[in-house]
Amino acid sequence: MSCYTAWASACFWGFCVCVCVCVCVCVMGGHARSSAGPMRNGANRFQRVKRGWVWNQFFVLEEYMGSDPQYVGKLHTDLDKGDSAVKYTLSGDGAGSIFTIDQTTGDIHALRSLDREEKPYYTLRAQAVDINTNRPLEPESEFVIKVQDINDNEPKFLEGPYRASVPEMSPVGTYVTQVTATDADDPTYGNSARVVYSILHGQPYFSVDPKTGVIKTALPNMDREVKEQYQVLIQAKDMGGQLGGLAGTTTVNITLSDVNDNPPRFSKSFFHLRVPESSAVGSAVGRIKAHDLDIGRNAEVEYTIVPGDGGNMFDITTNEHTQEGIIILKRGLDYESKKAYTFKVDATNAHLDPRFQSFGAFKDTATVKINVLDVDEPPVFNKPSYVMDVYEDTPVGTIIGAVTAQDLDAGSSPVRYSIDWKSDLDNYFDIDPVEGTISTNELLDRETDQLIYRTFSAALSSADSPVLTSRVAVTIHVLDINEFPPELANPYEAFVCENAKVGQVIQTFGAKDQDLPSAGQQFAFKSPKEDGKNRNFTIRDFGNNTAGIVTKRGGFRRRLQEIYLLPVVIEDNGYPPKSSTGTLTIRVCGCESDGALLTCSAEAIFLPVGLSTGALIAILLCIVILLVIVVLYVGLRRQKKKETLMSSKEDIRDNVIHYDDEGGGEEDTHAFDMGTLRNPKVAEEKLYRRDVKPEIKRGPRPPVSQDSADIRDFINQRLREHDTDNSAPPYDSLATYAYEGNGSVADSLSSIDSPAVDVEEGYDYLSEWGPRFKTLAGIFGESETQSDSNSSKTH
């Protein structure tokens, strides 16, 4: 049989008791089969070995203070015969460092002091082995060494210090807060961890439950206004509060929160204020205050003026930050009318607590007296503003109105009037400094200044006060007189269809007038008296400032007359009435049957009525083609005849001199001697006009004499010949210098030298005249090219 012997020691209440206990316990039903046994009779078989029960828990006292290692217990096996053949081993938590075992005897000791709060128990394993072969004699066994608790830890408040609040005036037993203390000792062993709470400081105001730590009020009607902060000292003691137990403390700071248990109170029942009469409406004239012992929203005060004498002159509001009552002026003060005002003001709480209404009315009343102080005031106009009317062109010096002001102070001073120079830079008006009458200083023009704003001043002064001035605005309307006649609103140009009917309105027109205002003007339209016999058109007045042109007949023809002028008389309703005569232009146009306008151009007059647009275009194209053919034909003819016409090198009659000034006629030849133009070399030659082909045979010309009489006869004869020739232009339109040239006494009179030889004229210059002559340049250019080619072929 194998057995473990256990030794236990304990210390109770200051003395030690050593107990040696030997317990044999049968393990596994009193029988245990070894894992290996000796072989008998040469057979390999297991042999049953009896083992003892294991007492698997040892105790060791914590915080052991002895000098020798603390004895824990003893291990022993039945296989140990005392011959030192068995060795005991120890392994597990703290083996070798905290706990040690005697290998021969099996005694276990603790090498150092243990703390249960650090580690409450240790789990170890023990085994008996053969000391020689080191072979296990028994299986390994596990046991526990438990650290036995002693009361070495005081209770602690881990959440302290505490803060709490409770409303003032709370009843007894009102919950405040709860405190909790913890003890690190073993709560399952003795009373080391059983905590009891108590109040060391804070009575009689508060109490604490000894088991739960709940703090409650213990005194009724605690007033915050008397004392707001309380500090309570709570103690927690273990061992159930018995003597020798350990204790810990914490502080609880308790604040009484405010409730509205106090009404506002004025510091005095009568307030005396002084206010100048010049104070502006809406300004603050004084402050009063009612004090409330409460705080926060419970101390908010509302002020009201009790209806009565003077209450309607003032108003009162509350300053949110200072809770003062600010008295505000509602109406203007006048010392001369009333010198003092008296009224009452109530101060009440804005937020009432119904629990304390039984204490009485939560308000207070004070009397306020306001004395009005006299102030020197500027004069006052009898109107806030003035409006006056004046006609334009009113003579200078005419009085158009007056302003009046007076001094309302007790000692009335004289008032002087003036014009604010900043508002009358043009110096249109003047004002009498004593009477206040306003008169014109310049002629006014309605069309330049319609409204004139001016500021007039009234000032007063005395020996003991500075000049006091007040101002008033005066609006002066410049009224219009009828000085401009009406006229047509626009330069109207009407048209009438050729197929117009009698009584048809072909144009509506209106009028305008420079006189103002334009609203309300009325115009009348009519035909002039001298135009009463007009059989074509008449004027119809519509009565709404417009009129219309009405046809008096039909069958207008553009071929007969294209434009008609219709005078119209326009008269306004001014005083005196003005009138003017305007002219309306009416053009005759072609229209369709429904009156739609077709054309009013001048070319359309010569076209037959009723042609369509396509037909008109075809006709125009034909005309253009014919013109081109004619131009080509003329160009070819001129090309052929040019050399014939230019054969005479001496003929210089194509140099035509054109003067804008009209001459004196044929008699101007007497003013100078024509002999100076005579060339003897060509005097005998017959000269012909180059621009007209001679068709009539003329008689021989008489020889030219050297005197002026011959010249006169020659010219007269040539005039008679050309007067009878209807195909030639008037002869007096040409200036023929038959005797001009190198042989003439006066030399050549032309600014352009005549060419020595005839040069065929070219038409290249036409292309330089612009796009309008582009077609002619092309035509004559082609003809010139063809002419050159023909001449080259001939040669």
Side-chain angles (χ1 to χ4, degrees), residues 107-142:
D107 293 332
I108 302 174
H109 292 81
L111 299 177
R112 61 180 176 86
S113 176
L114 301 178
D115 188 0
R116 190 201 67 85
E117 287 72 37
E118 181 180 347
K119 190 173 180 64
Y121 62 89
Y122 298 85
T123 302
L124 295 97
R125 294 179 300 278
Q127 193 173 27
V129 299
D130 190 296
I131 195 171
N132 297 319
T133 64
N134 208 25
R135 292 178 60 186
L137 299 177
E138 289 183 356
E140 193 176 50
S141 297
E142 185 178 84

Side-chain angles (χ1 to χ4, degrees), residues 30 107 109 135 172 221 352 397 442 533 729 759:
D107 293 332
H109 292 81
R135 292 178 60 186
V172 176
N221 299 326
L352 299 178
E442 296 284 346
K533 298 180 180 180
V759 180

Side-chain angles (χ1 to χ4, degrees), residues 117-405:
E117 287 72 37
E118 181 180 347
K119 190 173 180 64
Y121 62 89
Y122 298 85
T123 302
L124 295 97
R125 294 179 300 278
Q127 193 173 27
V129 299
D130 190 296
I131 195 171
N132 297 319
T133 64
N134 208 25
R135 292 178 60 186
L137 299 177
E138 289 183 356
E140 193 176 50
S141 297
E142 185 178 84
F143 63 96
V144 175
I145 298 177
K146 187 175 183 181
V147 182
Q148 190 173 358
D149 183 50
I150 64 173
N151 189 18
D152 60 343
N153 291 280
E154 74 277 3
K156 294 182 180 180
F157 294 92
L158 301 179
E159 299 178 359
Y162 294 85
R163 291 186 177 274
S165 65
V166 63
E168 63 174 333
M169 310 301 290
S170 297
V172 176
T174 301
Y175 174 86
V176 179
T177 187
Q178 183 179 13
V179 295
T180 303
T182 58
D183 196 322
D185 293 326
D186 189 359
T188 64
Y189 181 77
N191 294 325
S192 299
R194 190 164 71 88
V195 179
V196 175
Y197 301 95
S198 62
I199 291 182
L200 299 182
H201 178 72
Q203 293 176 336
Y205 306 105
F206 301 96
S207 63
V208 63
D209 189 290
K211 294 182 179 181
T212 62
V214 173
I215 302 175
K216 299 180 180 180
T217 58
L219 191 67
N221 299 326
M222 286 188 293
D223 193 355
R224 186 200 64 82
E225 288 72 32
V226 177
K227 186 177 181 180
E228 183 178 5
Q229 299 287 339
Y230 294 86
Q231 192 175 68
V232 179
L233 185 61
I234 303 296
Q235 175 184 268
K237 190 174 184 181
D238 59 10
M239 298 300 292
Q242 297 179 6
L243 184 63
L246 302 178
T249 59
T250 187
T251 301
V252 181
N253 296 311
I254 302 176
T255 303
L256 294 182
S257 59
D258 185 62
V259 296
N260 193 9
D261 58 340
N262 294 282
R265 291 285 183 263
F266 285 105
S267 59
K268 54 185 179 180
S269 60
F270 188 84
F271 293 88
H272 193 184
L273 304 176
R274 292 178 176 84
V275 181
E277 65 172 336
S278 59
S279 298
V281 174
S283 62
V285 298
R287 296 171 179 260
I288 61 175
K289 185 174 183 180
H291 298 273
D292 194 325
L293 298 178
D294 298 321
I295 59 174
R297 67 193 304 267
N298 295 322
E300 294 179 0
V301 182
E302 291 182 349
Y303 299 91
T304 55
I305 295 178
V306 179
D309 181 29
N312 57 349
M313 293 289 295
F314 303 92
D315 197 2
I316 189 169
T317 60
T318 303
N319 187 307
E320 296 180 356
H321 303 288
T322 63
Q323 297 301 313
E324 291 180 321
I326 303 174
I327 300 175
I328 299 175
L329 184 63
K330 289 174 59 177
R331 300 179 183 177
L333 299 175
D334 186 10
Y335 175 81
E336 288 72 25
S337 300
K338 193 170 185 177
K339 297 178 176 59
Y341 297 89
T342 303
F343 52 89
K344 292 183 177 182
V345 177
D346 287 341
T348 60
N349 280 135
H351 308 283
L352 299 178
D353 194 332
R355 294 179 299 171
F356 307 104
Q357 291 184 359
S358 59
F359 292 179
F362 274 67
K363 74 173 183 177
D364 196 13
T365 303
T367 301
V368 179
K369 182 177 182 181
I370 298 179
N371 289 335
V372 181
L373 303 179
D374 187 23
V375 176
D376 289 335
E377 298 174 297
V380 178
F381 285 94
N382 60 352
K383 292 182 180 180
S385 62
Y386 293 83
V387 179
M388 301 178 184
D389 297 333
V390 59
Y391 282 97
E392 60 178 337
D393 297 335
T394 298
V396 176
T398 303
I399 297 176
I400 61 176
V403 295
T404 304

Side-chain angles (χ1 to χ4, degrees), residues 392 445-447 480-487 512-516 521 523 572 576-580:
E392 60 178 337
D445 185 6
R446 175 67 175 83
E447 286 66 37
D480 186 40
I481 61 174
N482 195 19
E483 55 183 341
F484 293 98
E487 57 186 6
K512 62 181 180 180
D513 195 334
Q514 297 184 24
D515 292 315
L516 297 175
Q521 291 180 342
F523 302 106
D572 61 16
K578 296 284 185 178
S579 63
S580 66

Side-chain angles (χ1 to χ4, degrees), residues 457-487:
S457 303
L460 57 89
S461 62
S462 61
D464 55 353
S465 64
V467 176
L468 300 176
T469 304
S470 61
R471 290 176 171 80
V472 68
V474 179
T475 303
I476 301 174
H477 295 271
V478 180
L479 303 180
D480 186 40
I481 61 174
N482 195 19
E483 55 183 341
F484 293 98
E487 57 186 6

